[in-house]
Amino acid sequence: EAGVVQSPRYKIIEKKQPVAFWCNPISGHNTLYWYLQNLGQGPELLIRYENEEAVDDSQLPKDRFSAERLKGVDSTLKIQPAELGDSAVYLCASSSGTSGYNEQFFGPGTRLTVL
Amino acid sequence: GIQVEQSPPDLILQEGANSTLRCNFSDSVNNLQWFHQNPWGQLINLFYIPSGTKQNGRLSATTVATERYSLLYISSSQTTDSGVYFCAVEWASGSRLTFGEGTQLTVNP
């Protein structure tokens, strides 16, 4: 069974440019998460989807970040415009959402460098 | 929000040694996971363990939910065990995982 797929793996952009990250979750997983990981820290949630619905986006900086999950499968996270402080690893995770069992599985991440 | 504390922050071992990593959390949790983040940044699932004890090869974990802590045991460590070990908790089913700061493990040959 394929794991969580993310692309690109690395991205280097100049500040004020837009950037987008793509995630394909594990087949059959209804819940999808985007996390941000800064160097030397644990990941922190940006947004959580249940199927197509964003049910927790309280930590998403909505002035420059947006996300979508069309058809409840793939998801895209966008930053526009990017700032120097956005340099980090962006991780996508998914879980089955089965009641009482919610193990999360992570993709390899996209390492963003903003110059 | 819920607080997660891991100790020690750094650990250096010789190959073959055993170690215990600790995770304390501040409130009742629905889920607890241990991850190993390898040098390439991939988070690898080690255990899904909201309570009880599990073993997988040289690794085992115990969570005592009533006392709000979990332990990860690594026996006969190998150089490939190097990396950062994260504990993460979920306070309600399907909610976010809150991660600790991690334990940086270095296993020398």
Side-chain angles (χ1 to χ4, degrees):
Chain A
E1 180 181 300
V4 177
V5 179
Q6 290 188 248
S7 68
R9 292 294 313 278
Y10 305 92
K11 189 73 176 180
I12 301 174
I13 62 172
E14 294 189 346
K15 63 181 180 181
K16 300 185 181 180
Q17 294 300 305
V19 63
F21 315 123
W22 176 81
C23 173
N24 180 248
I26 292 173
S27 178
H29 279 194
N30 298 323
T31 308
L32 184 146
Y33 311 78
W34 283 102
Y35 288 84
L36 166 71
Q37 186 175 23
N38 288 307
L39 189 64
Q41 299 181 17
E44 297 179 340
L45 183 77
L46 288 172
I47 189 169
R48 173 169 66 97
Y49 282 93
E50 294 286 348
N51 299 305
E52 302 92 348
E53 183 182 2
V55 296
D56 183 357
D57 63 356
S58 58
Q59 302 301 309
L60 189 72
K62 298 181 184 63
D63 57 336
R64 297 184 301 107
F65 286 65
S66 65
E68 60 181 11
R69 191 184 184 199
L70 301 177
K71 300 182 180 179
V73 181
D74 295 359
S75 178
T76 302
L77 178 69
K78 299 178 181 178
I79 308 174
Q80 183 171 10
E83 298 179 352
L84 295 176
D86 296 331
S87 295
V89 177
Y90 293 81
L91 294 162
C92 180
S94 70
S95 66
S96 65
T98 303
S99 178
Y101 177 76
N102 200 51
E103 186 174 6
Q104 294 187 28
F105 296 87
F106 283 78
T110 297
R111 184 176 298 276
L112 174 67
T113 301
V114 182
L115 303 176
Chain B
I2 194 166
Q3 304 298 313
V4 181
E5 295 182 354
Q6 291 188 241
S7 59
D10 297 280
L11 186 59
I12 300 174
L13 303 173
Q14 287 298 122
E15 202 167 23
N18 302 328
S19 61
T20 301
L21 282 57
R22 186 177 180 99
C23 172
N24 293 331
F25 43 96
S26 60
D27 207 342
S28 300
V29 298
N30 182 72
N31 170 22
L32 186 146
Q33 291 186 241
W34 282 99
F35 297 91
H36 175 213
Q37 190 163 44
N38 65 22
W40 295 271
Q42 176 73 56
L43 279 166
I44 300 166
N45 289 41
L46 297 178
F47 294 101
Y48 175 91
I49 187 166
S51 64
T53 297
K54 291 186 177 180
Q55 182 158 5
N56 185 3
R58 297 181 295 104
L59 273 60
S60 64
T62 295
T63 297
V64 184
T66 53
E67 298 187 20
R68 300 179 184 169
Y69 73 88
S70 183
L71 302 174
L72 178 68
Y73 306 96
I74 305 174
S75 65
S76 304
S77 58
Q78 301 175 358
T79 56
T80 52
D81 294 333
S82 295
V84 182
Y85 288 79
F86 285 105
C87 167
V89 302
E90 175 191 64
W91 69 273
S93 181
S95 67
R96 70 184 66 188
L97 281 175
T98 299
F99 284 75
E101 294 291 304
T103 292
Q104 174 75 58
L105 175 65
T106 302
V107 182
N108 293 320

